Amino acid sequence: MIKTIQMKKYLFLAAAALTVSIYACKHEPDTIVPLPPSGGGGTSEVCFEADVLPLFQTNCAKSGCHDAASGNDYVLDSYNNIIKRGIVPGNATNSKIYKVLFETGSDKMPPPPNADLSSAQKAIIGKWINEGAKNTVSCGSACDSNAFKFAANIDPIMQKYCVGCHGGSTPSASINLSAYGGVRQQALNGRLYGAVTHTAGYSAMPKNAPKLSDCQIAQIRKWIAAGSLNN
């Protein structure tokens, strides 16, 4: 009788322990995290106007390179010119304009000593081509003028619109905006804000591209006013 009671007690405790173990352990399937919307318009498609065109305008369509005045066979300052040649819609790996981003030496674009595109920027161009190289515009904006951290907000603006000229081993006007120190220096001397607001007496930036949006300019202004922190 005692053995029967002990056995029942053992089985009860074992069942209770198993129940706790089952509920304590979460068996969740592996999930693939989807790419976030590139243009802020509720779609995973890359937005040409917001994400791709600035890369071409600031890294390729610089004076003496692939701008209209250079006489180059490739003019890369607008959608119609970019799509004319060197791009196979739907196939980035067979598109010359994409392939030269990964070349070396004199075949590489942008050519040395200009700043190279980042892996993320190359991926954006490749994804845009694979999606059909469409002229997607007015995709909406995810910009928040109250968000002005350097790493999350200011540096991405610099990388997209400025580093094409102000980066690499020989940055334009000896102003290097590829890292915090250089950006802070231009913020403190007033040249950064004067340039992006197109204030008289300053060289309007970005070159060969539209003025930054009001939201982007507000982010830069607030970041400077808050002390130009490396946050």
Side-chain angles (χ1 to χ4, degrees), residues 48-49 52-53 56-57 75-85 87 89 128 132-137:
F48 173 77
E49 182 182 52
V52 178
L53 183 58
F56 280 105
Q57 289 177 327
V75 177
L76 304 175
D77 59 359
S78 67
Y79 176 79
N80 288 335
N81 285 331
I82 292 169
I83 203 69
K84 275 182 180 179
R85 53 185 298 188
I87 288 181
W128 169 69
K134 293 176 283 188
N135 187 18
T136 44
V137 300

Side-chain angles (χ1 to χ4, degrees), residues 1-202:
M1 182 67 177
I2 294 175
K3 288 184 178 181
T4 301
I5 293 174
Q6 289 177 334
M7 180 61 70
K8 288 182 178 180
K9 183 178 180 181
Y10 171 79
L11 292 174
F12 173 79
L13 292 174
L18 179 60
T19 301
V20 172
S21 176
I22 290 173
Y23 282 96
C25 180
K26 296 180 180 180
H27 298 277
E28 297 179 351
D30 292 333
T31 58
I32 298 175
V33 179
L35 290 172
S38 299
T43 171
S44 62
E45 283 192 336
V46 173
C47 180
F48 173 77
E49 182 182 52
D51 299 326
V52 178
L53 183 58
L55 298 179
F56 280 105
Q57 289 177 327
T58 58
N59 291 279
C60 307
K62 298 184 291 185
S63 179
C65 293
H66 296 285
D67 61 327
S70 68
N72 198 302
D73 290 339
Y74 287 86
V75 177
L76 304 175
D77 59 359
S78 67
Y79 176 79
N80 288 335
N81 285 331
I82 292 169
I83 203 69
K84 275 182 180 179
R85 53 185 298 188
I87 288 181
V88 180
N91 195 331
T93 56
N94 283 335
S95 298
K96 182 176 181 179
I97 283 180
Y98 179 70
K99 290 192 291 185
V100 296
L101 301 177
F102 301 89
E103 294 287 354
T104 58
S106 60
D107 292 331
K108 181 175 180 56
M109 292 293 162
N114 294 286
D116 190 15
L117 293 182
S118 68
S119 297
Q121 290 171 333
K122 293 175 184 179
I124 286 173
I125 294 174
K127 188 171 186 289
W128 169 69
I129 295 173
N130 283 336
E131 290 173 348
K134 293 176 283 188
N135 187 18
T136 44
V137 300
S138 301
C139 310
S141 174
C143 183
D144 178 0
S145 63
N146 290 317
F148 49 91
K149 300 290 187 181
F150 179 77
N153 311 110
I154 306 304
D155 188 49
I157 294 174
M158 299 298 110
Q159 298 301 323
K160 182 184 288 188
Y161 297 96
C162 307
V163 171
C165 292
H166 298 289
S169 59
T170 57
S172 178
S174 298
I175 297 173
N176 195 320
L177 302 177
S178 61
Y180 169 73
V183 180
R184 181 177 185 271
Q185 181 181 10
Q186 300 307 311
L188 294 179
N189 65 26
R191 295 179 69 177
L192 176 61
Y193 191 67
V196 298
T197 54
H198 295 189
T199 300
Y202 294 90

